[in-house]
Structure formats: C-alpha cells, structure tokens
Amino acid sequence: VKQPPRPRECVMTRPSTKGLWMGLVSPHIPEEELKNAVRAFMKNQAAAYPICKLQVLCTHYSKAHIFLEEEMPLSVVKQLNRVPLRVGGASTSVCFDDFYGSPFQKCPKTIAGFCRGQNLRFTQPCWCKHEPRKTEHAMYSLKPLPLDGAKGDEIVSKFMASAHHFYTGLPRVTAIRAIQNHVLQQCHNDYREYLRNKHGEEPVCQELYHGTNNNILDVLYTHGLQPPSDMEPSDACPVSGRKGLCTSLCTNSCKHCTRKHEWNRCHMYGLGIYLADMAAKSNRYVSQPNDGKLRMVVCSVLGKSYQVEGYLKGGSCMHDVVDVRAVTDEDMDEMIETCQPCRAPRASLGAMIVGSDGEKWGRVVSDEDSCWRLSSGRVAKKCNEGMRWFWSAESEISAEAIETAPEKSDLLFIKGLGDRCRPGSSVINSECIAFHPHQCLPMYEIEYTLD
C-alpha cells in the first residue's frame, strides 16, 4: 500500500473560509469510503458547519475539497488539524487548509505554470502568492503564408468547408499568418509533458478554431488563450477597460475590476476557452473587426474530453463552471438533462465519412450536388460512395480522447444535437471548452472578410 507523505503544515491566515482542502491520503482507499470517512469526521468535529459539496480527487495520492454552507473560523480549521482521520480501518494524520489559499502562501494549485483561481474573485478564487507568468516578457511575430502554398491552401480549404454556414455573409480569406512565440511554444510543451505524466500516455492533440474579440489578439499571442475571469471589466482599468470585453483580463488583485460578471446569455457551458472544428461555429464569437477584416485563430489543443450530450436545466446553470476538474458527476446530473444518444445521420449533413482504408475523412458540412463537403476541408465525390469511401456511425472524437469522469478530464466536449437542439439549452454544432492557457497554442491567424 502506497503511504502518503507527512502532512503539510496548515498555513491559513484569513479569518474564515467556506472551502477546505484536505490531504493527503493513500490512493488505494476507494472514493466512496473516503467520502464517508470525511463526512463522519466533519459531523463529529465540526457539526455546526454542514458540507454542501464534497469532491475527492486522486492522482498519486487522494485529497478532498470540502465546501461548506457556513464560514468556518480559522480557530476551527486549526483544531481539525489536531485530530486524526479514521479511514481504511486506521487513523491517519491529514492536513486541513483553506481551499482558497492565503496571502503570502506559495500557491499549491499551480498546474503547468498556471493557477485557475488567479483571475477569479467570486467563484473559486485563489488568494495565494503567485509567481510571475512565464510569458511575462515573451514576444511574438507573425509570418505571412502564401495562400496558394501547400499549408496556406490546406488552411483555406478547411476554413471554407463550412463557408455556407457563416450566418453573416460568405467569407473570403485575405491573409494567413503563422504565429511564432518560442516562450509560449515551450509552455505548450510543458503542458503536454504534464498530461503525459497524468494519463501515462501521449496526449490527444487536435487543431481547432477560436474566435474572440480582435482587440485582444496581441494578449493571446503573447500569453496564450485566456480562460475568462468572473469579473466585469471596469472602464477605468488600463488593462481591460474600453475594449468591448464582457469579462476582465486582470487577476483578482486588480483595484478597478471588482464587480462580478453576471450571466447575460453568455458562457453557456462555463468560463472557459471555446473552440470548434468548424470555422462557421467560431465565427460567431469573433468581434471588434478592424476595417471590416476579421481574424480567427487556429490552435493546437491538448487533452482528453468529458462529453456532455443533453440539455441545460437552466440557461445560466453552467455559467460559473471554471474548470472541468472542479465538476463532479453529481454536478452534471443537476445541470444537464441527458438525452438518448442519437443515431448518427447515415447520409446527410452531420454524418461521418471514412475512407476505404478506415481513415476518418470528416463530418459532412454541406451538400454540393456532385460531392459532400467535409469539416476537414476534403470533399467526398458522391460517385465514389461504396468504393473510395463509406458512411460511418463513428463519434466525432475517438474513444481514446474521451474520459468518463469530468474530474479526470482536461476539456469539455459539448455534443452538438443538430435538429434536436433546443435554443438556449443546447447547441446545434459541437464545441470544445478548455480552461488552461497553455493547453491551446495559437498557431495560425486567418484574416477574412464577409461579403
């Protein structure tokens, strides 16, 4: 049995908290047994502070996140550290600490150079001391690619595959630029190594589109795609103000951006980075064009996905989700009305086509008389059906790229429901949502107009 290390010291300094971190415990103890032990411990030692949510996570060791209905004073937290936890037929010493961290404490929740709570003030903030981000002095350059070159033609073909679904006009690509940032590339590589250690295998990698406010692309190309904060941008803020943003770019230390960002038919599935395999989908998020020219980003995206297939039980119920790993199966049951998996379309828009050698060609995004236009940019000539290609019932993403539990996942994959979509509670076309800036490396910028 793998024994946990000696408990760390509780360093809480804030007067009270509504969230506790508890650890570490042997990973061999079953999750439900550990949950029952924690509930019994809290009932015996702190009955005045009922648990409203309990989450157990296990990597090399097990730990628990305990969220309370009432603020627990510092003195009570200190007292919990003096009592052993009874679990697995034995008593073991564990540490109880403030889940939200304490000023001057070195952040223990940083993952691959980033702490998700650093730009959160109201949902799941982190008040620890954070190191300067690795990209603080990074610089980027944009290298033009010829549209008629091999890579340029590949990017344009895939981008134009969903051209007829751009709801504001027909797109025309005017330029493609490779985004070069060596520091950000290394951060992406470090995140890849983190996932390799986490899953024990080479991480899944996808190329996806990202559409956003074009006024902040320089920030994205310097520091990476940023998961949104839970704060409104203040007009007085020199960093986030007057850019047409709905969430602040700042950390929770900003003196200007102090109002909570409220749901306004936005961030439907959480405060994350929204990505798609169809350019037409990401175009809906592009705003603040310059001289009528819009810019979209092609990204390298790492990680396994937790698939959501169903309907939101309320328009805003997932708005405050800040990380897929902070969500439990119970949370998903409360937020999502699951639907029966639909049969894959057999010969129409949305259907999957595979080659005669089993290679996945892509989903059908438009019917062009003599051929099917695919999401990958390829075309499948109708006259070659049954010879060079076949219809398939395969999922959009492979089984190897799917995780069955949200807290073990790296991305949210929101399954598009096509004609089963209910406006406001589901989406027609699928999308992915990431929550770490180094998970998504901006690779190419596509500049286009809409005619």
Side-chain angles (χ1 to χ4, degrees), residues 1-59:
V1 175
K2 187 175 183 180
Q3 295 300 322
R6 183 178 178 179
R8 77 185 197 199
E9 181 184 357
C10 173
V11 296
M12 178 177 172
T13 58
R14 297 196 308 140
S16 65
T17 183
K18 290 187 75 173
L20 297 173
W21 178 94
M22 189 213 80
L24 297 164
V25 179
S26 170
H28 298 91
I29 297 174
E31 180 178 327
E32 281 306 312
E33 183 177 345
L34 181 54
K35 282 185 175 181
N36 290 336
V38 171
R39 290 192 180 99
F41 177 92
M42 293 296 292
K43 185 176 181 180
N44 291 332
Q45 303 298 326
Y49 308 95
I51 297 174
C52 65
K53 178 181 175 181
L54 174 60
Q55 183 181 22
V56 168
L57 298 97
C58 182
T59 49

Side-chain angles (χ1 to χ4, degrees), residues 334-345:
E334 292 178 4
M335 296 185 292
I336 299 294
E337 173 194 339
T338 56
C339 59
Q340 293 298 319
C342 60
R343 290 179 296 176

Side-chain angles (χ1 to χ4, degrees), residues 242-348:
R242 303 183 184 278
K243 287 184 168 68
L245 300 169
C246 66
T247 57
S248 169
L249 293 172
C250 302
T251 67
N252 54 25
S253 62
C254 179
K255 305 300 182 184
H256 302 284
C257 303
T258 57
R259 293 181 56 183
K260 188 177 189 302
H261 163 69
E262 301 288 356
W263 177 73
N264 185 25
R265 300 186 183 279
C266 59
H267 303 104
M268 191 171 177
Y269 293 98
L271 295 171
I273 302 162
Y274 285 68
L275 306 128
D277 66 348
M278 287 179 61
K281 174 79 174 180
S282 292
N283 175 66
R284 300 176 69 90
Y285 296 97
V286 176
S287 65
Q288 307 295 324
N290 183 18
D291 294 331
K293 294 180 179 179
L294 303 97
R295 289 178 288 170
M296 188 183 297
V297 188
V298 179
C299 305
S300 167
V301 183
L302 299 170
K304 290 191 172 186
S305 301
Y306 176 76
Q307 181 167 306
V308 176
E309 185 172 2
Y311 307 101
L312 293 172
K313 292 184 178 179
S316 63
C317 65
M318 285 193 70
H319 177 269
D320 288 342
V321 171
V322 296
D323 190 347
V324 63
R325 286 189 288 269
V327 180
T328 64
D329 287 324
E330 292 81 5
D331 293 330
M332 297 307 299
D333 289 341
E334 292 178 4
M335 296 185 292
I336 299 294
E337 173 194 339
T338 56
C339 59
Q340 293 298 319
C342 60
R343 290 179 296 176
R346 188 182 175 279
S348 63

Side-chain angles (χ1 to χ4, degrees), residues 141-189:
S141 62
L142 298 175
K143 179 183 177 181
L145 294 182
L147 296 180
D148 57 356
K151 189 62 185 180
D153 181 67
E154 175 190 328
I155 293 172
V156 171
S157 295
K158 186 175 179 181
F159 179 85
M160 294 300 292
S162 61
H164 296 296
H165 297 274
F166 279 66
Y167 70 102
T168 51
L170 189 65
R172 181 174 65 87
V173 176
T174 56
I176 297 175
R177 304 175 185 93
I179 304 162
Q180 299 177 333
N181 182 331
H182 299 299
V183 175
L184 198 56
Q185 175 70 64
Q186 185 56 53
C187 290
H188 191 60
N189 292 341

Side-chain angles (χ1 to χ4, degrees), residues 288-448:
Q288 307 295 324
N290 183 18
D291 294 331
K293 294 180 179 179
L294 303 97
R295 289 178 288 170
M296 188 183 297
V297 188
V298 179
C299 305
S300 167
V301 183
L302 299 170
K304 290 191 172 186
S305 301
Y306 176 76
Q307 181 167 306
V308 176
E309 185 172 2
Y311 307 101
L312 293 172
K313 292 184 178 179
S316 63
C317 65
M318 285 193 70
H319 177 269
D320 288 342
V321 171
V322 296
D323 190 347
V324 63
R325 286 189 288 269
V327 180
T328 64
D329 287 324
E330 292 81 5
D331 293 330
M332 297 307 299
D333 289 341
E334 292 178 4
M335 296 185 292
I336 299 294
E337 173 194 339
T338 56
C339 59
Q340 293 298 319
C342 60
R343 290 179 296 176
R346 188 182 175 279
S348 63
L349 297 180
M352 179 67 67
I353 285 179
V354 297
S356 56
D357 58 356
E359 178 190 357
K360 189 180 294 185
W361 284 18
R363 287 184 296 114
V364 174
V365 295
S366 65
D367 181 351
E368 299 184 359
D369 296 328
S370 63
C371 66
W372 299 105
R373 176 72 61 176
L374 308 181
S375 58
S376 61
R378 298 181 67 164
V379 295
K381 293 181 179 180
K382 294 180 179 179
C383 61
N384 288 332
E385 180 182 352
M387 294 178 289
R388 295 197 59 195
W389 61 266
F390 301 86
W391 297 104
S392 171
E394 284 190 65
S395 172
E396 293 173 53
I397 53 179
S398 65
E400 293 76 17
I402 290 288
E403 269 289 354
T404 56
E407 58 263 37
K408 296 180 181 179
S409 305
D410 314 302
L411 296 158
L412 275 175
F413 174 70
I414 311 300
K415 174 76 172 178
L417 300 184
D419 58 7
R420 298 185 301 154
C421 176
R422 299 176 190 167
S425 62
S426 56
V427 292
I428 296 174
N429 298 306
S430 301
E431 59 190 359
C432 285
I433 304 168
F435 298 92
H436 195 296
H438 303 157
Q439 189 173 8
C440 313
L441 177 69
M443 298 174 62
Y444 302 101
E445 175 186 271
I446 302 175
E447 180 184 276
Y448 61 102

